[in-house]
Structure formats: structure tokens, C-alpha cells
Amino acid sequence: MSVTDLREYGADFTANPYPYYAKLRASGPVHEILTPEGIPAWLIVGYDEARAALADQRFIKDPSVVMDFVPLEFEVIGPNLLGIDPPDHTRLRKLVAGEFTGRRVEALRPRIQQLTDELLDAMAPAGRADLVDSFAFPLPITVICELLGVPAADRDSFRAWSNELVAPTGAMTEREAVEGFGGYLDELIEDKRAAGPQDDLLSALIATRAEDGDRLSLPELRALAYLLLIAGHETTVNLIASTVRLLLTHPDQLAALRADPGLVDAAIEEGLRFDGPVEAATYRFSSEDVEIAGTVIPAGSVVLVGLAAGARDAARFPDPDRFDVHRDPRGHLAFGHGIHYCLGAPLARLEGKIAIRSLLERFPRLELDPDGGPLEWLPGLLIRGTRRLPVIW
């Protein structure tokens, strides 16, 4: 099997990878590739194979088990839930899940609606905006920071660090971003320890104990806060912006949603399937030779599960390249599958539902700004979306 160098596809692949995934899938569900960063890896592009791989414990998350490699963020911050395996993962997820409950998420509904309305009030007089900067970013970053208990004054720093880690701009090095983030979190955790019990998630995680007395260590708290802050807003920013972009570029679907606002849940799920915010799951590593559909992925390989690629597999979703808010997209993999399924999925869905319904109600003539210039797509295979989304109303 020849190696597919994704770098050769250039900017066209970044803007619209789906035809390339379809071409790969036509010749098999698994391919040896070079990522846009030049890293050798195996990419899974079939839906059934992707779903199975996400739950296959032969694909592990801790790279140090199979290779002499420790990611910079693990070195500085510590391994988070996306970088560890059972039994460590089982223990940490159990401690965290007890605080990340449906009841806590639902209790955020009034505050999410209030923040949404305030952002729309601020946008309204201008008649035009970059939807990412004015709405899709500030809503989830405020929600996750308030949930965790991060001071409002520190949120611009988070945005700068987070941008460099998921879609680098070159404003600082990866090490500067990771070390800045890590040092800040240490101070924040120590401040919260000293302050005692408060009504925020980070304080609750500091205080939480399992029935056997187990509790989170400082490195575990730091790594968990790091993951929740990045994953808790970067993905939701693009869930909101991408769903709006899809609706504005598919006027028949936007008209259907306006005619029946009850379709907002379906529109969000179809947006997650059609062009979700995570293009490929974070790295997995084969702990042994693994055969998929006749192709052997050797032990010690980097493995990328193509969530976006699987979502356009016609064997699972008929007419997959059609955006259709009446579709039943259940089973999409936008939030993953298996033990690493996204803890924050209920919160992301709630934010998306409130944001998109409120935006469309407030601005019935919302459309893409014809003078907004070309869209700039985020680089890499992790986060899918655009840096800006100029709109007018």
C-alpha cells in the first residue's frame, strides 16, 4: 500500500477534505498517510471501522507504552483523560463524571440564555459582525470559565494559549503556550484550595472524594482543568459557527428551520454529522498488530480515527454529502464513542441549541457578509472550522 501524503493536497484539502476522504474510502477504510504536519500515521475513513476503532482497547492513548515519546503537554501539564488508559482512565473519569452531571448542565440553561441575549444585544446595532469573535467564541468560553470558576479577566489569555495549541497562529511557540497555561492553572488551583469551598466545578473537583477516599492530585487537577477549558470551548465555538455557516449556505434548510423552530435539535445534530468541529480524534497508538478490513496496522503506529470521514460514509448515511435538517443523523461520531466519549456533549448541545435558536429569532435576515472576504480554515486534522465568519443582518 502506498503512503498518501496529505500535504500534497494543500489548501483545498483544508477547506474541503470530504472529496479526498471519499476517494480514499473508495479503495478501502484504512490508509497509511503523512499528516499535514508530516507525521506518519494510519487514517481510518470508514464509518463502521471508525466506530469500532474508537472502542478497540488495542488502540491506546498513552504513547509512552509503545514508543519513546512524551507529548509536550503531558510533560508540562500532565496526562489528561484523552491521554491515559484503564485503569487510570476509569478512576479519573469516575471522579470527574460525578461532578459533570446532567443536573449541573441543565442548571446552566438560564445563564446560557442570559449570556446569549447580552451578546446579541451588543451585536445588534452594528448590522454586521464576525460571528466567531462576537458570538460563537465568547459564549462557550464564558460558560466554561464560569463553570470552572476562572476569573473573567483571565479569559483573553486562555484564548491566546488555546489558539496556539489547537490551530496555531504563530503568535507564540507551543512550549510558551503550554507553560503559560500550566503555570496559570497551578496558581488558580492553589488559590481555590486556600479559599475553601465555592460553587464552581474546579472547587468541587478539588474537594471531591470517591467512596474509598480517592481524590485528584494537583497534576491530575491541572491536566483536567486544562482539558476541560480547551475542549470545553474550542469545539463548541465551531459547533455554533459551522452550523450557522451551513444554514446560511443551504437556504432551503434555513427556511425549513425558520418554518419549524422545533427542528433546531435536528439541525445541530446534522451539522455535527455533516461538518462537525472535530475532524479526527486525538491520536491513538496500536499496542499490537491490528487488522482492519484486510489491512494490518503495525504495533507502535500512530492511528487517527477520521470522525469527519466516517460521517460521509454512504454505507451509514445515505446521500451523505447532502445537508438535511430532516435527516436522522443518530450514530454520528462527532463526540466520539466508547470510554473516551465526550463528557461535555450535553453542555455543547445545550449551548448550540440556545445560541442558534436565539440568533435566528433575533436576526431574521441574517446572511453571510458578501464583503467579508474568503474564509480562513483552521489548519490540521483536529479542529475543523474557520477563524472568522462575517455576517450581516
Side-chain angles (χ1 to χ4, degrees), residues 246-315:
L246 290 169
L247 288 166
L248 296 182
T249 53
H250 295 80
D252 58 328
Q253 301 304 304
L254 176 59
L257 177 56
R258 287 198 182 281
D260 180 6
L263 286 172
V264 67
D265 286 338
I268 289 167
E269 297 305 314
E270 174 66 346
L272 285 165
R273 179 203 71 85
F274 187 84
D275 201 12
V278 181
E279 188 166 343
T282 52
Y283 288 162
R284 283 164 167 75
F285 308 90
S286 50
S287 61
E288 59 185 78
D289 290 356
V290 179
E291 182 177 336
I292 299 177
T295 297
V296 175
I297 298 176
S301 298
V302 175
V303 179
L304 284 168
V305 180
L307 308 181
R312 299 287 189 99
D313 188 340

Side-chain angles (χ1 to χ4, degrees), residues 182-264:
Y184 173 79
L185 289 172
D186 281 348
E187 293 179 11
L188 179 65
I189 291 166
E190 287 309 310
D191 287 347
K192 289 191 175 296
R193 281 197 199 278
Q198 299 174 58
D199 187 25
D200 63 73
L201 181 58
L202 190 52
S203 294
L205 290 170
I206 290 169
T208 192
R209 288 181 185 269
E211 291 178 4
D212 61 0
D214 188 19
R215 66 189 305 170
L216 295 161
S217 68
L218 174 59
E220 288 168 343
L221 282 165
R222 180 176 58 231
L224 186 58
Y226 171 82
L227 175 63
L228 291 174
L229 282 163
I230 292 183
H233 85 275
E234 286 287 357
T235 50
T236 310
V237 170
N238 291 291
L239 181 161
I240 294 169
S242 293
T243 304
V244 172
R245 174 176 48 79
L246 290 169
L247 288 166
L248 296 182
T249 53
H250 295 80
D252 58 328
Q253 301 304 304
L254 176 59
L257 177 56
R258 287 198 182 281
D260 180 6
L263 286 172
V264 67

